Every structure is written in structure tokens, then in C-alpha cells.
Amino acid sequence: MRKYLVAGNWKMNGSNAANAGLVDGILAAQPGSDNVELLVCPPFPYLAAVAAQLAGSTVALGAQTVSEHEKGAFTGETAASMLVDTGCRYVLVGHSERRALYGESSDQVAAKFAAALAAGLKPVLCVGETLEEREAGQTEAVIDEQLGAVLESSGVEAFQRAVIAYEPVWAIGTGKTATPEQAQDVHRHIRSRMAARDEATANAVQILYGGSVKGDNAAGLFGMADIDGGLIGGASLKAPDFIAIAEAAASLS
Ligand code: 13P
């Protein structure tokens, strides 16, 4: 049986003081159950401090992106090995903000995914369509292209050590959540695409939903057959909001 994963993507938010309070709040709540894993993804400068605060807890640490290169003359970039060295177990790759604002192509995302895996990190591969693409009936084609690039380069078995996050771009930060049925349709499609290559991997891989997840809509989403948790933006910045989402997952376990 798949566990739930509730992951906070803090994006470019926080400060040493704010992060310390947020992590304190998460740890104090002793959230979840054996069936709910928690992950926080702070901005790069705060990874070491958050790692120290999380030491000895079951809450995992992740970064928000990673270089596809191993090391060398790549000013401003961060290697996967450095993230491991700093205490990260996960890294987001291909978040729609990276694709849209920083021009990351699906091939580049696939290279980042491979670099993360090679260093021993668990990549969280983000996929999702824009509103325009959805309205043009292209949702599945967009997902297939984004997922296909990684399946072609790393192979389906790589997903035994990875997570997928479906984040419809039109639901991110808009307060406009996909309905549980809309999300489930895409999650089922993703899992069936994986199953066509390898049934066992398809059944084991966690597929998260992201896009305006809150305490009051989480249970409806997480109750769907192929939704294994959430990638949370805004609601991951306040401990009570994040914990409410973790508790929604725990209540279903
Ligand atoms: P919101 O939860 O703020 O919509 O953000 C979702 C997201 O992009 C998480 O990666």
C-alpha cells in the first residue's frame, strides 16, 4: 500500500526567524501517522539551518531545483551531491514556475531528474497543463510529453525511487483547485501510462496533487484512488495550515 506524502514547497518565501517558527510548529504537532510522510522544501540558503532543526525527526528535507551538471563552472547553480551533503533527501524537478519563468525544457528536466537520482536524491517530478492547454483538450498530451521525456531517458524503473506531482498550472496560487474528479482523471492517466511499461512500478509510485490544496479540500482530493498526497505552496507556510493537510491524509490512512 502506498503511503501519503504531504510536501511543502515554500518557494521564495521565509527568513531564518520565520522558518524556525514554522518548523517548530510542524514538529510540535507530531503530525500524521505511520502512513503519512512529511517533506519541506525551503529556499537554498536555509537548507542547512532547517536540516539542523529537523535532525532526529521524521520530517524530510528537500530542495526546489537542482543543476543537471555534476560540478564545475556553473555560476549560481547547485549540484545534487551538495544537496545530499546538506541533508536533503528529495528535490523538486520541473516545477511549472521553473518551466515557465526559467525556460526549463522537458529534456533539461529529465537531465535534472537523472542527476538527482544519480546522487541518491528522490526527485519529485512536477507535471501539469496550463488553462489554455486544458481548454484545447491537450491535458493528456502535455502530461505525456513531460513524463515521456523522463521515461525515455531514465526508464520506468527509476520511478521506484521518485515521486510524481501533478500540478495544473491554472490551480497554482489561484485558489482554484481542480475537483477531486478532475485531478483523479489525470492521476489515473499518469498511472496507466506507467503501467503500460511496468505494472509494479506504476502501483508503487506516489502521485501527488498540487494547486491550491488547503485543509478543507485535502481530504476530498486525497480520498481519490490515485492521489497519494499533496505538493503544497501557500498553505505550507503556516504550520497550522500545513498540519491540517497532514491530518486530512492521516484521517484517510
Ligand atoms: P499553491 O498551493 O500555493 O497553489 O502552490 C502549489 C504549488 O505550486 C506547489 O508546488
Side-chain angles (χ1 to χ4, degrees):
M1 194 189 141
R2 296 183 298 270
K3 292 187 177 184
Y4 285 106
L5 173 62
V6 176
N9 173 10
W10 296 1
K11 306 192 181 183
M12 199 172 75
N13 293 292
S15 64
N16 274 316
N19 301 344
L22 173 54
V23 172
D24 260 352
I26 295 171
L27 294 176
Q30 296 284 346
S33 71
D34 287 351
N35 252 339
V36 182
E37 301 169 330
L38 295 182
L39 164 65
V40 293
C41 302
F44 284 131
Y46 300 122
L47 287 171
V50 175
Q53 216 182 336
L54 292 177
S57 82
T58 56
V59 180
L61 183 70
Q64 298 174 15
T65 185
V66 64
S67 172
E68 61 271 45
H69 303 289
E70 222 173 288
K71 63 175 178 179
F74 300 101
T75 301
E77 292 292 295
T78 304
S81 61
M82 298 172 186
L83 298 179
V84 172
D85 204 19
T86 311
C88 290
R89 284 173 42 210
Y90 291 82
V91 64
L92 309 183
V93 297
H95 190 281
S96 63
E97 288 152 16
R98 302 289 321 168
R99 293 180 194 259
L101 303 174
Y102 303 100
E104 289 186 8
S105 67
S106 289
D107 285 345
Q108 193 181 2
V109 171
K112 288 170 184 270
F113 182 99
L117 272 183
L121 286 169
K122 225 174 186 190
V124 179
L125 172 67
C126 305
V127 297
E129 82 288 1
T130 63
L131 185 58
E132 203 178 22
E133 290 162 342
R134 172 163 283 260
E135 287 176 344
Q138 293 169 348
T139 299
E140 292 189 356
V142 169
I143 305 292
D144 288 352
E145 188 275 327
Q146 293 172 340
L147 191 61
V150 178
L151 284 168
E152 288 310 317
S153 68
S154 287
V156 68
E157 287 81 14
F159 284 86
Q160 288 164 13
R161 293 179 291 127
V163 174
I164 299 170
Y166 168 56
E167 297 204 300
V169 177
W170 48 272
I172 295 178
T174 59
K176 212 169 146 190
T177 320
T179 64
E181 293 73 22
Q182 278 176 322
Q184 167 60 21
D185 281 350
V186 179
H187 282 233
R188 186 195 302 111
H189 174 74
I190 292 171
R191 207 179 297 285
S192 70
R193 278 222 56 202
M194 311 283 294
R197 295 181 183 233
D198 182 58
E199 192 103 26
T201 304
N203 287 333
V205 69
Q206 289 167 314
I207 308 178
L208 314 183
Y209 167 80
S212 300
V213 179
K214 311 275 179 242
D216 59 7
N217 60 25
L221 289 157
F222 299 171
M224 304 307 280
D226 290 300
I227 303 185
D228 307 309
L231 182 53
I232 323 298
S236 72
L237 298 174
K238 289 196 179 130
D241 295 350
F242 188 59
I243 293 304
I245 295 168
E247 280 171 356
S251 73
L252 296 163
S253 313

